[in-house]
Amino acid sequence: MGQPTAVRTIRQPWAILLWTAISILGASAVGGIALSRGETINSLWFIVAAVCVYAIGYRFYSAFIAAKVLVLDPTRATPAERFNDGRDFVPTNKWVVFGHHFAAIAGPGPLIGPTLAAQFGYLPGTLWILIGAVLGGCVQDFVTLFFSTRRNGRSLGQMARDELGPIGGIAALIGVMMIMVILIAVLGLVVVNAMKHSPWATSTVAATIPIAILIGLYMRNVRPGRVLEGTLIGVTLLLLAVAGGGWIDHHPTLRVWFDYDGPTLALMIIAYGFVAAVAPVWLLLAPRDYLSTFMKIGTVIALAVAIVILRPDVQMPALTQFIDGTGPIFGGTLFPFVFITIACGAISGFHSLIASGTTPKLLANERDIRFIGYGAMMMESFVAIMAMIAATVLDPGVYFAINSPTGVVGATAAEAVAKISSWGFPVTVEQMELLAKEMGEESLFARTGGAPSLAVGMASIFSRAFGEGMLAMWYHFAIMFEALFILTTLDAGTRVGRFMLQDLLGNVVPALGRTSWYPSVLFTSACVVSAWGYFLYMGTIDPLGGINSLWPLFGISNQMLAAIALCVGTTILVKSGKLRYAWVTGLPLTWLVIITTSAAWEKLFSPEVRIGFLSHARDLADKLAAGALPPDKLASAPHLIFNDRLDAALTAFFLIATWVLVLDMLRVCYCAVRGHKHPPLSEAPHVPSRLVEDWVRD
Amino acid sequence: MNNVYWWHKLWSGLRQVSGDDAYERYLAHWQERHAHEDRQPLDRKRFFKAEQARKWNGVRRCC
């Protein structure tokens, strides 16, 4: 007792030997990936590099943070122990908390970001995922979880208000609402692009709704609370739905019912989002969440196993010519856009919302924070590495054909393959037709968004590892799996947005603040749904693919949230008299501010029409005025111009909010160091833990 | 013996992660803390209803 977790000094010779071996292996794997040119490289090197980097990061850096920077104290009672109510606050086994935390933080983000960033080649994304996670993302999750635990599980917004003052609090609150809107819109767009003109995918995704409702009713009325039973039935039904989708796809009349274009599907998703947000949670959201969590974890494990069994070769070069900013999937140079495109998997601000509030209420002991905060983010980063592998084992020509929007490569298949082949990534119309046929799709051209190319990558890996000839099944399984938890995020996000809006409006009109008053529920849900619905719909009619403008916006907003979390963390470190360790959060914060500022600046002011929102608006307006637009684009042009200006305004907001927060943090830190007046630390007082170790930790 | 022990551990871990045993844990907690009070614990159905409402009242899922 009494001794805080200390960095165990390595004395045993075998331990020195082991860690030296891991370091050498890791260094050669990373070096091999970085220096390999020309020849293809085996994906096993990615796995080895990742595992070694994580092992070293966890063993040494997280131990240093735990012992020296945060000084975890195992003798201190956690909120779960002090407020144990058997439900909300419960001291829980650390593996169970790890499972909860990982399931909560890992969504579709780490699968999509790396897939899109693969347009730069495999190297920049891979290095950023590894380094960003170990020095940035894991640290952010770790410190946020720790500081929230020391503050009775307070949320990030509350901590920002307590530690920085009202300005920080308001920036955090509005930031979270904005990011929610952008996040849902972009995820909705990913699903729409996966379902467009695909009766198989659309019918399978549609079937997930009645299946979830059925399971909801089962778990509420037939066998209340039997979660595992219900989930097992649901997963079986989902697999049947994938097979049933294939049957519908081959049925001449039924397939027409599920064949829609992008904008129509967007309207359906918007309608669905509204209904899901006002329906009771037990009916749709909760059962779907059980299903998607099981699917997600099962598929991620299966993918890891398949990659290790198969060890496919990576076909994409280390770097492509698109690092100069001319990439077809999204415009923008390597710096800063690779760091914006891959947010989840390297550093994701959204995690700080889970790490504050939800997870701290379950911790049995402060010592577990290192494993859960740092460790779960490492796992998510590993998921991102696997997504990178799945994207880069595809033939690069195929990868670009699937992901390039028609506005860039041309509307017909012949135009697209000619353009992509001219970049040095040979691909033929026959090859794409054969692939589409194998996957059970009409066409795989211009399926921007990452989900279809990831599904093609996963399907080819799965079918080679677990059974040849099932390509179409695996493809639609992958689409269903992605759509399942994207729709969960969509429901859950809309609901959170609604709660926040109700909270905000409640200050003005008290009745609107009552979360159970139905008119208020309908009104605020409609507000939130129309906000993201607008961006989603505009994304589907954008000839540049929508992802081109929405994904960077999402990346910037997510990194802004991470900056808020790191600002709070740095402030607390400085106020606790740990100025000399403030670099632990200060360095990743500085990096985030650099990348978000330069990315936001380019999105605002770049003269290149595919990068700068304002120059794109100007270009369109000029063409419109000169009558140079083809008649089919005439109608949408004014909307696109307005949308560009709105995107620019949002970017400017994110930029300003980040800087206001950083300056506010510097002010508070300066006051703390100089001994001027500043908000005091809001840490809960020390209460010794009375839990008997063996009992809790079992 | 050892095998059975590990399977049991795995199974109870799975039940705990998924929330399958939430009601049992609630009852155990109730017996420990509130058994002397002049009240009855919630029944399974009402507990599960309240639990779902509580769980989804906030940020639960990430991107």
Side-chain angles (χ1 to χ4, degrees):
Chain A
M1 291 270 280
Q3 197 61 317
T5 318
V7 184
R8 267 167 291 158
T9 36
I10 301 172
R11 292 207 189 83
Q12 302 90 335
W14 66 265
I16 298 178
L17 211 63
L18 175 74
W19 285 105
T20 313
I22 292 177
S23 308
I24 293 173
L25 185 63
S28 23
V30 174
I33 293 172
L35 300 175
S36 153
R37 290 291 182 276
E39 296 293 304
T40 56
I41 178 167
N42 195 284
S43 56
L44 195 63
W45 285 108
F46 288 69
I47 306 274
V48 171
V51 170
C52 292
V53 168
Y54 299 146
I56 294 167
Y58 186 78
R59 172 62 187 82
F60 296 102
Y61 194 44
S62 79
F64 162 75
I65 296 173
K68 299 283 182 192
V69 182
L70 302 178
V71 197
L72 304 188
D73 183 357
T75 66
R76 192 184 180 112
T78 59
E81 180 186 347
R82 282 180 287 129
F83 307 120
N84 187 353
D85 58 3
R87 301 163 81 174
D88 205 8
F89 290 89
V90 189
T92 309
N93 178 288
K94 72 168 174 178
W95 291 94
V96 173
V97 187
F98 183 89
H100 276 293
H101 186 71
F102 176 69
I105 61 171
L111 295 173
I112 298 166
T115 309
L116 300 176
Q119 78 163 356
F120 292 127
Y122 66 74
L123 185 59
T126 305
L127 290 181
W128 167 234
I129 291 169
L130 294 180
I131 299 169
V134 167
L135 299 180
C138 296
V139 176
Q140 177 213 238
D141 292 16
F142 187 7
V143 298
T144 309
L145 181 56
F146 174 77
F147 287 136
S148 175
T149 307
R150 282 276 172 101
R151 283 159 184 74
N152 299 339
R154 303 202 117 207
S155 72
L156 179 70
Q158 288 168 323
M159 288 200 287
R161 200 162 47 227
D162 293 345
E163 300 291 341
L164 286 164
I167 298 176
I170 290 171
L173 182 73
I174 301 179
V176 171
M177 261 174 57
M178 295 279 214
I179 182 183
M180 213 66 99
V181 167
I182 299 294
L183 168 75
I184 300 173
V186 76
L187 291 180
L189 189 58
V190 169
V191 180
V192 164
N193 282 345
M195 297 197 298
K196 119 181 132 183
H197 294 302
S198 167
W200 191 336
T202 310
S203 57
T204 308
V205 173
T208 64
I209 300 168
I211 291 173
I213 291 178
L214 205 69
I215 301 307
L217 289 168
Y218 180 88
M219 290 201 294
R220 186 181 179 88
N221 296 324
V222 186
R223 300 265 291 158
R226 311 282 180 185
V227 172
L228 282 177
E229 255 174 52
T231 307
L232 196 67
I233 299 173
V235 168
T236 316
L237 289 176
L238 285 176
L239 296 178
L240 288 176
V242 176
W247 179 77
I248 288 180
D249 189 41
H250 289 103
H251 197 286
T253 36
L254 279 180
R255 76 187 307 276
V256 185
W257 294 6
F258 293 100
D259 189 352
Y260 299 103
D261 63 356
T264 318
L265 283 167
L267 292 176
M268 289 177 179
I269 298 252
I270 292 166
Y272 162 80
F274 179 73
V275 174
V278 297
V281 274
W282 61 267
L283 187 62
L284 194 52
L285 181 53
R288 189 217 290 291
D289 182 60
Y290 286 122
L291 296 178
S292 78
T293 307
F294 272 78
M295 272 303 190
K296 177 166 70 189
I297 291 179
T299 309
V300 161
I301 292 173
L303 188 60
V305 170
I307 288 177
V308 172
I309 295 178
L310 208 63
R311 300 185 296 279
D313 276 338
V314 167
Q315 309 291 329
M316 184 70 78
L319 290 169
T320 65
Q321 66 267 42
F322 301 129
I323 54 176
D324 66 359
T326 56
I329 302 171
F330 56 91
T333 47
L334 182 67
F335 177 87
F337 284 97
V338 74
F339 307 104
I340 291 299
T341 309
I342 302 180
C344 315
I347 177 162
S348 164
F350 218 102
H351 292 190
S352 55
L353 300 183
I354 309 284
S356 63
T358 318
T359 307
K361 296 177 182 167
L362 298 174
L363 291 168
N365 192 302
E366 268 193 11
R367 175 170 38 192
D368 301 343
I369 294 176
R370 175 183 165 204
F371 174 63
I372 292 154
Y374 202 93
M377 176 61 202
M378 265 172 23
M379 282 284 288
E380 166 159 303
S381 172
F382 188 66
V383 173
I385 289 287
M386 289 198 298
M388 180 58 93
I389 293 174
T392 51
V393 295
L394 290 177
D395 194 340
V398 171
Y399 166 84
F400 284 111
I402 298 175
N403 283 306
S404 305
T406 50
V408 179
V409 292
T412 68
E415 277 176 287
V417 294
K419 184 88 182 224
I420 292 163
S421 300
S422 77
W423 291 330
F425 302 111
V427 61
T428 62
V429 176
E430 295 74 40
Q431 197 183 349
M432 288 301 292
E433 276 172 358
L434 178 70
L435 187 72
K437 201 161 164 269
E438 278 179 335
M439 298 296 165
E441 289 286 284
E442 208 118 277
S443 157
L444 285 171
F445 280 106
R447 305 296 286 269
T448 327
S453 79
L454 180 68
V456 170
M458 272 168 68
S460 56
I461 291 173
F462 278 153
S463 70
R464 276 197 280 161
F466 304 129
E468 198 77 55
M470 302 251 294
L471 269 172
M473 281 296 209
W474 282 120
Y475 174 84
H476 289 95
F477 169 80
I479 293 284
M480 182 273 290
F481 138 86
E482 287 173 84
L484 192 65
F485 60 93
I486 286 182
L487 291 182
T488 310
T489 309
L490 192 139
D491 291 6
T494 306
R495 213 169 269 273
V496 170
R498 183 190 102 198
F499 285 141
M500 286 175 180
L501 191 61
Q502 285 185 313
D503 201 29
L504 211 65
L505 293 179
N507 294 324
V508 190
V509 186
L512 286 176
R514 278 169 27 218
T515 46
S516 53
W517 188 49
Y518 226 68
S520 160
V521 170
L522 291 178
F523 172 72
T524 47
S525 299
C527 290
V528 175
V529 170
S530 33
W532 61 254
Y534 167 80
F535 286 104
L536 168 59
Y537 189 80
M538 292 311 291
T540 57
I541 63 169
D542 186 342
L544 292 176
I547 291 287
N548 181 53
S549 52
L550 277 179
W551 192 265
L553 214 51
F554 162 63
I556 291 172
S557 62
N558 201 356
Q559 307 289 43
M560 181 199 77
L561 203 53
I564 296 178
L566 288 169
C567 276
V568 172
T570 311
T571 312
I572 296 177
L573 281 179
V574 171
K575 286 207 277 187
S576 343
K578 289 183 185 143
L579 184 62
R580 69 198 163 114
Y581 292 127
W583 57 267
V584 169
T585 49
L587 281 184
L589 174 63
T590 311
W591 179 244
L592 282 183
V593 171
I594 292 172
I595 57 172
T596 43
T597 306
S598 33
W601 194 263
E602 285 201 33
K603 291 308 287 182
L604 281 173
F605 302 119
S606 167
E608 174 60 49
V609 290
R610 287 188 51 235
I611 304 172
F613 288 128
L614 293 175
S615 57
H616 187 247
R618 211 176 309 122
D619 179 65
L620 261 180
D622 289 350
K623 280 186 186 157
L624 192 64
L629 281 177
D632 56 318
K633 294 202 173 128
L634 222 47
S636 64
H639 299 294
L640 288 173
I641 294 170
F642 173 74
N643 191 40
D644 272 327
R645 294 192 174 134
L646 188 64
D647 287 347
L650 264 181
T651 312
F653 166 78
F654 289 140
L655 186 62
I656 293 168
T658 309
W659 275 96
V660 165
L661 221 90
V662 168
L663 294 176
D664 201 30
M665 174 205 80
L666 291 173
R667 176 188 65 85
V668 175
C669 289
Y670 175 81
C671 291
V673 172
R674 282 304 173 93
H676 298 318
K677 193 168 170 293
H678 61 271
L681 274 181
S682 56
E683 191 169 286
H686 179 285
V687 176
S689 172
R690 284 186 300 174
L691 291 180
V692 185
E693 274 218 354
D694 326 327
W695 177 71
V696 193
R697 302 179 60 81
D698 195 29
Chain B
M1 161 65 201
N2 215 11
N3 242 340
V4 174
Y5 170 77
W6 282 108
W7 279 115
H8 176 76
K9 239 180 133 67
L10 194 73
W11 173 239
S12 61
L14 186 66
R15 290 197 68 205
Q16 219 181 326
V17 173
S18 61
D20 201 54
D21 64 351
Y23 184 62
E24 281 121 89
R25 276 186 283 142
Y26 161 75
L27 276 189
H29 171 86
W30 196 90
Q31 291 300 345
E32 193 193 341
R33 299 278 179 101
H34 307 286
H36 59 277
E37 293 165 21
D38 194 21
R39 280 188 303 160
Q40 287 297 310
L42 295 175
D43 62 31
R44 187 177 251 285
K45 204 167 171 174
R46 289 200 11 233
F47 170 77
F48 191 61
K49 264 184 198 172
E51 192 62 352
Q52 277 191 327
R54 176 189 70 75
K55 264 192 186 168
W56 287 99
N57 193 358
V59 185
R60 284 266 299 162
R61 284 291 175 261
C62 191
C63 34

